[in-house]
Amino acid sequence: MPRYAFFRGAFVPIEEARLSIMAHVVNYGTGCFEGIRAYWNADAAQLYVFRLREHYQRLLRSCRILHIALPYDADELSEITVELLRKEGYREDVYIRPLAYKGSEGIGVRLHDLVDEFAVFAVPFGKYIPKEGGIRACVSSWRRVNDTAIPARAKIIGAYVNSAFSKTEAHLNGFDEAIVLTEDGHVSEGSAENIFLVRNGQLITPPVTDNILEGITRATLMDLARQELGIPTVERRIHRTELYIADEAFFCGTGVELVPIAEVDHRPVGTGEVGPITRRLSDLYGRVVRGQVPAYLHWCTPVYEGA
Ligand code: PY5
């Protein structure tokens, strides 16, 4: 259990960070959030927050879409978060959950003339999908929310009902994760992660205009693949059946990190074993986030001073 939260402008005991049953966000899902990981590096005795500033830049973009005005910029939000982690004193991997939302109490659906609030807490966290090797995925019967209805590029709280529908359907049908298509049948992403395919040695991922969350892990892996493996990523629309003939496939995201997909709709991906490009990217990502690759230390914010 965490001991503190930053809530209504102050650090408070976690038990005191409570919303009313009348809060706008509780009634209508009118808010947005982030998911950030911090990794404990035992050798350096340091906790590194991965791409902290980029996550808060995205939160502020979500806020713009949702008419939420916060009294903090990305640097101030980052400082609050580092201070929270210092107060907790974590020496293990943690997951950080910032929230920006309409906190007003009362009835009435809208985005204007409401009180905007920011809160953040952090919890110890291990694997998002607890499974070794590749996972079994299915194409969901649900479709991804469209930019014309609820924009997926904003990490909107209420929109995660769409993710929950596809995740639970996949689970009830015996799969580990869902792959969700756009209304017009192109591969969009997983329930809470982006997706990459490998075909003929080339990385392919859906474009940002196919109703994906513009993932920070996605951007990170595109950089790492190009710079360290010499493999550029092609962003283009992907057909469902390309999932069935891909040589390799994986999900990526802050929570899921990088997870190989072994099977899609009962068809093995490639050989069914974890492929070489997936393996190399996964190993590299694991070291980069923990602050073990000097060239990418600028992505890792140290929490403790003088460590
Ligand atoms: N797509 C969706 C729908 C997501 O929710 C997420 C992240 C991603 C892609 C990957 O984005 P990023 O690489 O920036 O994390 N999902 C959150 C996460 O922490 C919430 C999971 C419950 O991974």
Side-chain angles (χ1 to χ4, degrees):
M1 263 299 272
R3 289 184 295 156
Y4 303 100
F6 183 83
F7 183 68
R8 295 190 176 141
F11 293 99
V12 299
I14 190 77
E15 307 78 36
E16 289 174 24
R18 299 223 175 271
L19 284 180
S20 162
I21 197 172
M22 292 201 293
H24 206 268
V25 62
V26 173
N27 285 262
Y28 308 118
T30 41
C32 50
F33 68 103
E34 271 303 320
I36 311 172
R37 273 188 186 265
Y39 292 88
W40 176 245
N41 180 322
D43 293 333
Q46 184 59 272
L47 185 65
Y48 286 115
V49 191
F50 192 61
R51 306 206 73 170
L52 178 58
R53 201 160 182 283
E54 289 87 341
H55 278 281
Y56 277 121
Q57 286 168 336
R58 186 173 65 191
L59 184 78
L60 292 173
R61 290 199 297 273
S62 296
C63 285
R64 283 168 68 162
I65 292 173
L66 277 179
H67 289 283
I68 292 175
L70 297 184
Y72 313 107
D73 63 19
D75 289 330
E76 290 163 333
L77 292 167
S78 300
E79 277 162 29
I80 289 168
T81 302
V82 167
E83 201 179 329
L84 173 75
L85 293 171
R86 275 192 203 136
K87 285 176 81 76
E88 294 282 15
Y90 287 130
R91 295 168 68 88
E92 61 192 304
D93 295 350
V94 299
Y95 187 85
I96 302 154
R97 172 51 53 80
L99 298 153
Y101 54 89
K102 301 291 179 183
S104 306
E105 298 171 13
I107 304 297
V109 186
R110 62 182 186 279
L111 292 174
H112 59 278
D113 298 339
L114 294 165
V115 175
D116 298 327
E117 295 184 359
F118 170 78
V120 55
F121 63 91
V123 290
F125 199 64
K127 289 233 176 302
Y128 183 73
I129 300 180
K131 195 168 175 180
E132 287 306 316
I135 63 165
R136 298 178 59 242
C138 60
V139 172
S140 183
S141 72
W142 295 94
R143 293 291 170 266
R144 189 75 180 114
V145 282
N146 200 280
D147 194 64
T148 54
I150 306 181
R153 73 165 45 70
K155 217 167 154 53
I156 297 175
I157 293 171
Y160 276 74
V161 173
N162 181 238
S163 295
F165 274 137
S166 57
K167 178 76 182 195
T168 290
E169 181 194 49
H171 171 79
L172 293 176
N173 288 338
F175 295 94
D176 302 306
E177 189 52 276
I179 298 168
V180 189
L181 306 181
T182 60
E183 269 314 328
D184 64 357
H186 292 93
V187 174
S188 180
E189 56 180 351
S191 71
E193 51 279 305
N194 292 116
I195 189 169
F196 283 75
L197 304 184
V198 178
R199 287 189 67 186
N200 305 320
Q202 193 176 56
L203 281 162
I204 311 171
T205 197
V208 294
T209 45
D210 267 341
N211 298 311
I212 65 168
L213 180 75
E214 296 178 5
I216 290 163
T217 316
R218 174 182 180 275
T220 299
L221 293 176
M222 285 167 72
D223 280 354
L224 291 177
R226 181 167 38 81
Q227 289 164 17
E228 305 300 322
L229 277 55
I231 303 174
T233 301
V234 179
E235 294 176 83
R236 66 155 174 84
R237 307 199 91 182
I238 297 174
H239 273 156
R240 172 182 191 154
T241 51
E242 288 185 272
L243 298 166
Y244 301 163
I245 60 166
D247 303 319
E248 304 179 30
F250 57 85
F251 286 121
C252 68
T254 299
V256 85
E257 301 175 293
L258 194 162
V259 163
I261 303 173
E263 200 184 299
V264 180
D265 290 345
H266 305 284
R267 295 156 177 90
V269 174
T271 60
E273 301 294 311
V274 179
I277 294 176
T278 305
R279 170 83 61 207
R280 286 172 71 196
L281 266 181
S282 174
D283 291 347
L284 184 58
Y285 182 76
R287 285 184 291 122
V288 165
V289 294
R290 219 168 276 282
Q292 292 168 335
V293 183
Y296 297 99
L297 254 184
H298 59 281
W299 282 342
C300 306
T301 303
V303 167
Y304 301 118
E305 281 159 356

